[in-house]
Amino acid sequence: MSTHELSEQEQIRRNSMAQLRQMGIEPYPAPEFVVTGHSDEIKENFSDDAPQREVAVAGRIMSRRIMGKAAFVELQDSCGRIQLYISRDEICPGEDKELYNTVFKKLLDIGDFIGVRGYVFRTKTGEISVHAQELIVLSKSLRPLPIVKMKDGVKYDAFDDPELRYRRRYVDLIVNDGVKDIFLKRTKVYTSMREYFNNAGYIEVETPILQSIPGGASARPFITHHNALDIPLYLRIADELYLKRLIVGGFEGVYEFSKNFRNEGMDRTHNPEFTCMEIYVAYKDYNWMMTFTEHMLEKICLDVNGTTEVKVGDNVISFKAPFPRVTMAQAIKEHTGVDITGMNEDQLRDTARSLGIEVDATMGKGKLIDEIFGEKCEGKYIQPTFITDYPIEMSPLTKRHRDNPELTERFELMVNGKELANAYSELNDPIDQYERFVEQMRLGEKGDDEAMIIDADFIRALEYGMPPTSGMGIGMDRLVMLMTGQTAIQEVLLFPQMRPEKRAAAAKEEGDEE
């Protein structure tokens, strides 16, 4: 129960709720209300020549115009909005007119849920509407909605503050047009991707979120404690190592939509809790995976938007396959003029500094190359581009390149200046994998808090034999951002992580003082 001080409007609504109960009308009734029509399909299927259609609709009152014995109401349901025509004598056919005169006109408010049974018709002004013959109160709203008003071309009472919108997503979904569409498209993205994988014969699986060793990626984990076992556990940073165990076990293709957690910063493209899809297919390599990925993304864009192009900010991005393929060394040379091929750690550190990139002694070759690419190249790739053949120091889980043992068979897909997907020809040599883990441990001892930990059970699994395999991970939140034209990850997460309200208010106050 909220303990905030009630506003005048909130107190009035509570009084109305009490009056409804005094009249014998329960403001939160238990009985089911069977809906037989929704706003969009009612309007779409209406025909002036068809027989009169009886419907039952339910939703939230968003506006109303009362004209004596009749009124027009705008009702919002899960599919949109539709007009209701409510006549006093129609919903109160007997002598008792209290349902209209008192309940509807005085005790119901904008935001309340009602159910209406009646028939569909077209008004004299041409608007397809529902003529109410029965009205039922379904739920009383005790807080007023921020209803946007326009006057002389100026918008008033808009619910557009980003922090309030993300913190009170339920209000955002009610009052701001287009917000729900983003999340409906999110579902379409998942549906399209699943369809693509399932049609290829691959199996969706589930793997542990609580892990004894955080593996499969380089990231800082969230740590918790299991009381019964008296051991630390980690929220997963990736599901890669478990999915590879399933390839060892005999599955030919597996995928998972996983909630991952990384104890790192938050910004417009990062949330500490995010969704990743990872897929692993036996007897394939990273070249096959590039083709598989570009055709998947082309299909998703068509399924979601009806075209292979999408506008994100000022950029029009085409997901029409095929995508360009550029090696990492070529990308760095193209955008910095420097060829990093064959450079040792000291040379790379000097190169980074000469390019104005801040580095420190804890960074090994992989981190240094990653910093150079991230600072000088990544943002340049707006159209989908595969960056391939990463140095071995950057890729501890990746098979060595068949033509150059200093490189790995890895690609990252860059879109709109950010990484969207990461994929390998998977390392399946258990001895090489163990040595790579050992090198990661050395980096950890130097101070790299994102270095991987040796997973002895994963090494043991590889020792039983894993067939040649290609794996790919894709950030679902970033993919949805692209497919819906959004530039902030918070716009595609129903409930993004937020600073607690009191701390947020204090931080805002401090900022104002400064």
Side-chain angles (χ1 to χ4, degrees), residues 246-393:
L246 297 179
I247 298 295
V248 171
F251 286 93
E252 191 163 318
V254 293
Y255 70 94
E256 180 176 18
F257 291 94
S258 65
K259 276 290 186 183
N260 294 347
F261 306 84
R262 298 186 183 178
N263 200 355
E264 299 168 346
M266 296 190 299
D267 57 32
R268 292 176 67 82
T269 58
H270 293 87
N271 195 64
E273 172 186 351
F274 63 98
T275 305
C276 186
M277 187 292 306
E278 293 199 32
I279 182 168
Y280 293 83
V281 184
Y283 314 115
K284 307 297 183 185
D285 66 7
Y286 81 140
N287 292 307
W288 175 89
M289 187 61 82
M290 278 187 264
T291 302
F292 184 78
T293 300
E294 63 194 1
H295 287 301
M296 175 191 73
L297 291 172
E298 182 180 56
K299 174 192 183 302
I300 290 170
C301 198
L302 278 168
D303 287 348
V304 173
N305 295 307
T307 173
T308 57
E309 292 188 347
V310 63
K311 193 171 190 300
V312 183
D314 295 330
N315 300 319
V316 175
I317 296 170
S318 172
F319 283 97
K320 179 70 176 173
F323 305 159
R325 304 180 184 192
V326 181
T327 70
M328 174 163 272
Q330 288 171 341
I332 290 174
K333 187 173 182 179
E334 179 184 349
H335 295 292
T336 69
V338 178
D339 187 352
I340 64 164
T341 306
M343 283 190 180
N344 61 31
E345 186 176 311
D346 290 336
Q347 291 171 320
L348 285 166
R349 189 172 286 108
D350 291 341
T351 297
R353 286 173 176 153
S354 72
L355 293 169
I357 300 169
E358 191 174 321
V359 295
D360 60 53
T362 69
M363 294 180 178
K365 286 180 67 176
K367 269 286 182 82
L368 291 166
I369 294 168
D370 196 29
E371 287 294 315
I372 293 170
F373 179 80
E375 288 282 333
K376 299 298 179 180
C377 308
E378 187 173 289
K380 305 288 181 24
Y381 293 99
I382 303 303
Q383 298 304 319
T385 305
F386 292 115
I387 304 298
T388 70
D389 301 350
Y390 281 54
I392 196 165
E393 295 82 5

Side-chain angles (χ1 to χ4, degrees), residues 168-230:
R168 302 179 190 174
R169 181 68 83 187
Y170 39 89
V171 178
D172 188 32
L173 288 163
I174 296 167
V175 303
N176 286 326
D177 293 336
V179 174
K180 184 181 284 186
D181 290 339
I182 292 171
F183 295 101
L184 293 175
K185 281 189 173 184
R186 183 180 180 113
T187 296
K188 287 183 180 179
V189 168
Y190 280 69
T191 300
S192 178
M193 188 179 286
R194 276 194 172 95
E195 182 180 73
Y196 186 71
F197 295 155
N198 293 344
N199 287 343
Y202 306 139
I203 306 300
E204 184 170 7
V205 297
E206 293 177 291
T207 63
I209 293 175
L210 286 174
Q211 302 181 352
S212 57
I213 295 174
S218 298
R220 285 194 296 269
F222 286 92
I223 305 173
T224 186
H225 186 81
H226 191 289
N227 291 335
L229 296 177
D230 193 25

Side-chain angles (χ1 to χ4, degrees), residues 465-476:
M466 184 175 84
T469 298
S470 183
M472 186 266 290
I474 190 164
M476 295 303 296

